[in-house]
Amino acid sequence: MSKAIFTKENILLNESVATKEEAIKLAGSILVKNGYVDESYIEKMLEREELTSTYMGNFVAIPHGTEDSKQFVKDSGISFVQVPSGVDFGGGNIVKLLIGIAGKGDEHLDILSKIAIVCSEEENITKLVEAKSADEILAIFEGVN
């Protein structure tokens, strides 16, 4: 059986980071620590960011690896980092929520669609930025089918 894609252990609240690189490394380190990816995946996340920003609007960034990073993914997983004070992703784009993604095969497409649904609602973004517990975060995502 594969592991749960998104659990309490994958969530960091009230973090403070100075740069987008630091933010991406933090999102990636959760995936490494919880056994979803090899350490090398973080480099691929940073590489991806250099190619195209993973800033999605609405204070959200979705850092993930490049096309050739699949070999470093052991299981599909999501990491979630809340940065209430925000971090600049360039061009004045401030990110308060980082959702790191590692997808096995095409599983990440399903993951992305759920995230897109949650993050398309400004009300959800506000709730996620203001959430005080991992349970609150999980509840918002579990509300999406």
Side-chain angles (χ1 to χ4, degrees):
M1 198 179 109
S2 63
K3 13 173 8 123
I5 290 176
F6 193 38
T7 66
K8 278 196 230 187
E9 291 72 36
N10 298 12
I11 298 172
L12 285 179
L13 299 178
N14 217 9
E15 291 295 315
S16 181
V17 291
T19 65
K20 70 176 179 179
E21 290 77 16
E22 198 181 315
I24 292 168
K25 285 179 185 172
L26 189 55
S29 70
I30 296 168
L31 295 170
V32 171
K33 187 180 95 183
N34 295 323
Y36 295 99
V37 298
D38 290 327
E39 187 87 32
S40 307
Y41 190 75
I42 296 175
E43 283 310 308
K44 294 295 182 182
M45 291 173 88
L46 292 166
E47 218 174 272
R48 170 82 206 177
E49 191 63 35
E50 283 174 29
L51 295 171
T52 317
S53 178
T54 55
Y55 174 74
M56 298 297 165
N58 250 359
F59 301 114
V60 177
I62 304 180
H64 54 282
T66 54
E67 272 307 304
D68 64 351
S69 65
K70 296 259 182 247
Q71 63 198 10
F72 304 119
V73 178
K74 300 176 196 171
D75 281 295
S76 292
I78 296 176
S79 64
F80 184 95
V81 181
Q82 179 198 65
V83 185
S85 58
V87 59
D88 191 343
F89 257 58
N93 295 323
I94 301 300
V95 169
K96 295 184 178 186
L97 302 171
L98 285 108
I99 303 169
I101 294 183
K104 238 142 135 98
D106 288 334
E107 283 183 306
H108 67 289
L109 299 174
D110 188 38
I111 297 168
L112 278 170
S113 69
K114 276 193 171 181
I115 292 168
I117 293 166
V118 169
C119 295
S120 64
E121 300 283 330
E122 264 182 59
E123 181 187 328
N124 287 339
I125 300 296
T126 304
K127 283 181 191 169
L128 291 168
V129 170
E130 294 173 356
K132 301 289 182 236
S133 74
D135 287 324
E136 284 179 65
I137 304 285
L138 288 173
I140 293 166
F141 280 97
E142 283 165 3
V144 176
N145 289 321

